[in-house]
């Protein structure tokens, strides 16, 4: 911790809190930074809002005293600090360390709110309302204890109305002053607060995600090819579509992983293709939304990312041992478009500069449809949430060179969590040739959306495809 942030010898708790909070901007701290610093030094476990609210109340008391006296009160220090306390004020006033409160002087550090009752006290009768609108927005009207600073704080307003700032955004606010008279406080200022909110748009916890990536270190050491090179041309395609990590965990997929590792351990390949994406992650942000903004089950995305990372590290390392060439292909999904791409870019950074790089390839292009050749076998990949019915024709037009060179043509798609294969002839090839469009199933758990819509009857399994130079030879069910 920066020494400027440590509690000084003989510095009182209040002096310390005042110093850190008042110099927040000077220290270039966020309220989350303030929370971490104060909790560490004071042994507390408070949230950032606790300290933020305390400081706003304290600052409100200073403003009141300034209005009354014409300047900030000159007796603010408790005289316990070994160094001066710099207050954030217009005069850049520095309070000497030896100056103490004189008798009869208002202790501004104890002034929580002037002309405001304690927020824990019972509010007077008020007709509170909450409206849920069709577009996902909501409106709330309630009576709130707050001061001038809090009226301008979106997070405070959201919390005061019962909304989590991480999940909701403030779109508008209006407050009207109320006066209530009681025996304890005299005339108390309240506010009739009206706010409009909408679901937050991907307030992504990048810090948590980056920490997860840094914590799970995989140095990508040199992995030697342990197979034997022979004249047999064998390739493998591992299209694990719709994994939905978040709904599913690494432990859930341990049996599938073991079967894949067994296949790789007992076979040798010229080339292995590993498409990644395709709704590998259940959410596209931390707010339970897909890439299209559809609200679904909210899952722990930091854990989901870590589980998926570990899962594919095992597969990639084993593939490098059993194949001369390994290619990683980003394939976009409708759940995790942005995060899926980011995940593959992370793998590219992890493996692309390692000693294995010369045997690896990465395709991170943002394309709805991708195709490549394994020998003379045409492999097309698309998620299937767009242009599903025209997939065969689209691939023939968009990849004419691969199409012309191939002897077998297959397209793989997911999305619907079901298995189906249809052989469809096209006008671009002879009658005795065709393309197989495969709808791949998944081995994932059934989430609430698929249960609600009755998508519960499909077989729960993944498929891996092996080819020789001209055709498919094996399908492994994992």
């Amino acid at each position: 911790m920066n020494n400027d942030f440590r509690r000084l010898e003989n510095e009182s708790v209040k002096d310390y809190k005042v110093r850190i909070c008042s110099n927040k901007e000077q220290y270039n701290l966020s309220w989350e930074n303030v929370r971490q610093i104060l909790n560490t030094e004071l042994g507390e476990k408070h949230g950032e809002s606790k300290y933020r609210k305390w400081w706003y109340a304290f600052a409100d008391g200073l403003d009141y005293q300034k209005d009354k006296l014409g300047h900030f009160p000159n007796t603010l220090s408790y005289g316990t600090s070994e160094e001066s306390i710099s207050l954030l004020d217009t005069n850049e006033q520095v309070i000497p360390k030896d100056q103490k409160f004189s008798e009869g002087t208002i202790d501004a550090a104890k002034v929580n709110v002037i002309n405001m009752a304690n927020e824990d006290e019972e509010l007077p009768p008020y007709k509170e309302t909450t409206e849920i609108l069709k577009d996902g927005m909501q409106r709330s009207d309630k009576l709130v204890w707050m001061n001038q600073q809090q009226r301008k704080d979106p997070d405070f307003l959201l919390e005061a109305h019962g909304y989590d700032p991480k999940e909701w955004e403030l779109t508008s606010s209006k407050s009207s002053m109320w006066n209530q008279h009681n025996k304890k406080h005299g005339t108390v200022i309240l506010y009739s607060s009206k706010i409009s909110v909408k679901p937050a748009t991907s307030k992504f916890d990048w810090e948590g995600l980056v920490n997860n990536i840094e914590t799970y270190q995989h140095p990508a050491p040199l992995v030697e090819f342990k197979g034997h090179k022979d004249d047999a041309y064998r390739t493998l395609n591992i299209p694990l579509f719709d994994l939905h990590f978040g709904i599913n965990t690494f432990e859930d997929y341990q049996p599938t992983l073991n079967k894949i590792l067994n296949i790789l351990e007992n076979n040798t390949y010229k080339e292995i293709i590993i498409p990644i994406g395709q709704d590998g992650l259940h959410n596209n942000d931390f707010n339970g939304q897909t890439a299209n903004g559809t609200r679904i089950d909210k899952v722990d995305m930091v854990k989901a990312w870590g589980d998926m990372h570990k899962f594919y590290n095992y597969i990639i390392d084993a593939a490098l041992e059993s194949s001369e060439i390994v290619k990683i292909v980003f394939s976009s999904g409708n759940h995790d478009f942005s995060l899926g791409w980011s995940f593959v870019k992370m793998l590219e950074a992890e493996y692309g500069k390692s000693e294995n790089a010369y045997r690896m390839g990465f395709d991170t292009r943002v394309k709805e449809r991708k195709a490549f050749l394994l020998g003379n076998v045409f492999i097309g990949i698309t998620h299937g949430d767009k242009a599903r019915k025209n997939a065969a024709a689209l691939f023939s037009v968009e990849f004419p060179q691969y199409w012309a060179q191939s002897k077998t043509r297959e397209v793989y798609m997911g999305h619907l969590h079901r298995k189906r294969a249809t052989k469809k002839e096209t006008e671009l090839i002879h009658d005795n040739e065709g393309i197989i469009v495969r709808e791949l199933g998944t081995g994932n758990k059934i989430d609430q959306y698929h249960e609600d819509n009755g998508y519960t009857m499909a077989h729960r399994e993944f498929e891996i495809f092996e080819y020789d130079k001209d055709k498919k030879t094996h399908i492994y069910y994992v």
Side-chain angles (χ1 to χ4, degrees):
M1 182 187 294
N2 188 319
N3 287 333
D4 289 340
F5 305 153
R6 295 190 181 280
R7 185 179 172 189
L8 304 174
E9 185 180 356
N10 296 324
E11 186 176 27
S12 73
V13 170
K14 286 185 179 179
D15 277 351
Y16 177 58
K17 289 167 64 177
V18 167
R19 178 165 62 84
I20 295 298
C21 292
S22 66
N23 289 287
K24 171 178 169 289
E25 302 298 331
Q26 180 182 337
Y27 288 154
N28 194 27
L29 301 175
S30 67
W31 281 113
E32 177 60 24
N33 297 145
V34 170
R35 179 194 71 81
Q36 294 172 352
I37 291 168
L38 294 181
N39 278 352
T40 299
E41 285 294 287
L42 302 178
E44 300 289 356
K45 297 181 179 180
H46 297 313
E48 59 89 15
S49 63
K50 176 81 172 181
Y51 296 112
R52 176 163 44 85
K53 291 175 181 177
W54 176 86
W55 172 248
Y56 285 153
F58 180 89
D60 204 46
L62 293 180
D63 287 341
Y64 175 80
Q65 284 296 95
K66 182 180 179 182
D67 291 340
K68 295 285 286 185
L69 302 174
H71 56 80
F72 279 108
N74 60 2
T75 52
L76 288 177
S77 174
Y78 290 95
T80 57
S81 171
E82 289 298 315
E83 297 184 20
S84 297
I85 300 174
S86 175
L87 285 175
L88 192 65
D89 64 58
T90 55
N91 298 321
E92 295 296 330
Q93 178 184 5
V94 176
I95 309 301
K97 64 181 182 181
D98 58 346
Q99 193 166 0
K100 300 181 179 181
F101 280 98
S102 59
E103 185 178 354
T105 303
I106 294 178
D107 184 347
K110 296 179 180 178
V111 178
N112 289 326
V113 183
I114 303 298
N115 279 346
M116 286 182 59
N118 189 292
E119 60 183 10
D120 295 328
E121 294 187 18
E122 185 178 353
L123 291 166
Y126 186 83
K127 186 178 180 181
E128 297 185 1
T129 60
T130 301
E131 295 180 74
I132 300 176
L133 309 177
K134 290 183 178 180
D135 56 3
M137 294 184 66
Q138 295 188 17
R139 281 197 290 256
S140 175
D141 180 3
K142 67 182 299 183
L143 206 58
V144 177
W145 307 114
M146 58 182 171
N147 57 35
Q148 292 294 325
Q149 283 83 5
Q150 290 166 335
R151 289 177 65 189
K152 303 172 185 177
D153 185 342
D155 285 351
F156 172 84
L157 292 171
L158 286 168
E159 291 176 346
H161 284 260
Y163 294 99
D164 186 341
K166 294 181 180 179
E167 298 185 6
W168 296 89
E169 291 181 5
L170 186 71
T171 59
S172 67
S173 68
K174 182 179 180 181
S175 58
S176 302
M177 188 179 296
W178 275 44
N179 288 333
Q180 182 207 15
H181 185 79
N182 60 51
K183 294 181 179 179
K184 183 175 182 180
H185 297 284
T187 300
V188 176
I189 299 174
L190 305 174
Y191 290 92
S192 169
S193 176
K194 299 177 182 180
I195 66 171
S196 296
V197 300
K198 67 177 182 179
T201 54
S202 187
K203 286 187 176 179
F204 207 93
D205 184 11
W206 288 108
E207 184 177 346
L209 185 57
V210 170
N211 181 66
N212 177 279
I213 295 170
E214 292 175 345
T215 301
Y216 179 67
Q217 300 243 352
H218 182 269
L222 175 64
V223 180
E224 296 182 359
F225 173 58
K226 296 182 178 180
H228 58 277
K229 298 181 180 180
D230 53 32
D231 295 333
Y233 191 99
R234 302 172 69 207
T235 59
L236 193 69
N237 178 21
I238 309 179
L240 304 176
F241 292 178
D242 298 292
L243 285 161
H244 290 270
F245 275 100
I247 291 292
N248 305 270
T249 66
F250 177 84
E251 290 71 26
D252 292 329
Y253 285 135
Q254 187 75 62
T256 293
L257 177 61
N258 291 340
K259 292 177 183 178
I260 295 172
L261 296 180
N262 184 61
I263 294 168
L264 295 172
E265 182 179 352
N266 291 286
N267 294 279
T268 298
Y269 298 100
K270 183 72 175 179
E271 186 173 343
I272 293 178
I273 300 292
I274 308 176
I276 298 178
Q278 286 277 355
D279 292 351
L281 295 162
H282 191 61
N283 295 162
N284 199 48
D285 59 24
F286 277 68
N287 300 310
Q289 296 184 112
T290 67
N292 298 324
T294 304
R295 297 191 74 82
I296 55 175
D297 304 282
K298 183 178 178 181
V299 300
D300 184 346
M301 289 302 295
V302 172
K303 183 180 188 306
W305 183 283
D307 282 351
M308 187 170 167
H309 190 189
K310 183 178 180 182
F311 179 81
Y312 272 112
N313 277 155
Y314 274 109
I315 293 175
I316 294 171
D317 290 350
L320 286 166
E321 289 187 356
S322 64
S323 178
E324 296 179 51
I325 300 172
V326 176
K327 290 184 179 178
I328 311 297
V329 179
F330 165 63
S331 183
S332 61
N334 66 304
H335 273 246
D336 66 343
F337 185 92
S338 299
L339 278 192
W341 178 83
S342 301
F343 184 86
V344 176
K345 291 298 288 185
M346 178 194 67
L347 293 177
E348 183 181 28
E350 184 176 7
Y351 286 93
K353 295 182 180 180
S354 71
E355 295 182 87
N356 306 304
Y358 75 101
R359 295 197 292 125
M360 299 189 71
F362 289 87
D363 182 349
T364 61
R365 294 172 302 152
V366 181
K367 296 285 187 181
E368 188 65 31
R369 288 169 292 280
K370 292 187 176 181
F372 42 87
L373 288 175
L374 290 177
N376 295 319
V377 179
F378 178 102
I379 303 295
I381 293 177
T382 184
H383 187 54
D385 59 310
K386 302 179 181 70
R388 191 179 189 88
K389 294 182 180 179
N390 299 323
L394 286 170
F395 275 96
S396 68
V397 171
E398 294 178 6
F399 304 95
Q401 185 175 358
Y402 290 167
W403 191 273
Q405 293 177 12
S406 59
K407 294 183 178 180
T408 299
R409 304 174 184 91
E410 297 204 358
V411 170
Y412 301 86
M413 63 175 65
H415 183 56
L416 295 183
H417 297 202
R418 71 186 183 192
K419 293 173 59 177
R420 184 169 69 179
T422 59
K423 191 168 185 179
K424 180 178 180 180
E425 295 179 347
T426 76
E427 68 276 13
L428 300 179
I429 57 176
H430 299 297
D431 289 342
N432 61 344
E433 294 178 334
I435 179 171
I436 293 178
V437 180
R438 291 186 178 274
E439 294 183 357
L440 300 182
T442 177
N444 72 2
K445 292 179 182 177
I446 299 173
D447 63 5
Q448 193 62 48
Y449 172 82
H450 287 84
E451 181 176 333
D452 291 344
N453 287 276
Y455 303 141
T456 59
M457 301 175 66
H459 290 80
R460 321 308 301 170
E461 62 188 12
F462 298 100
E463 296 170 81
I464 292 176
F465 301 88
E466 186 177 300
Y467 317 89
D468 63 18
K469 194 167 186 177
D470 297 323
K471 65 183 182 301
K472 179 173 65 273
T473 58
H474 295 83
I475 299 178
Y476 300 98
Y477 297 97
V478 296

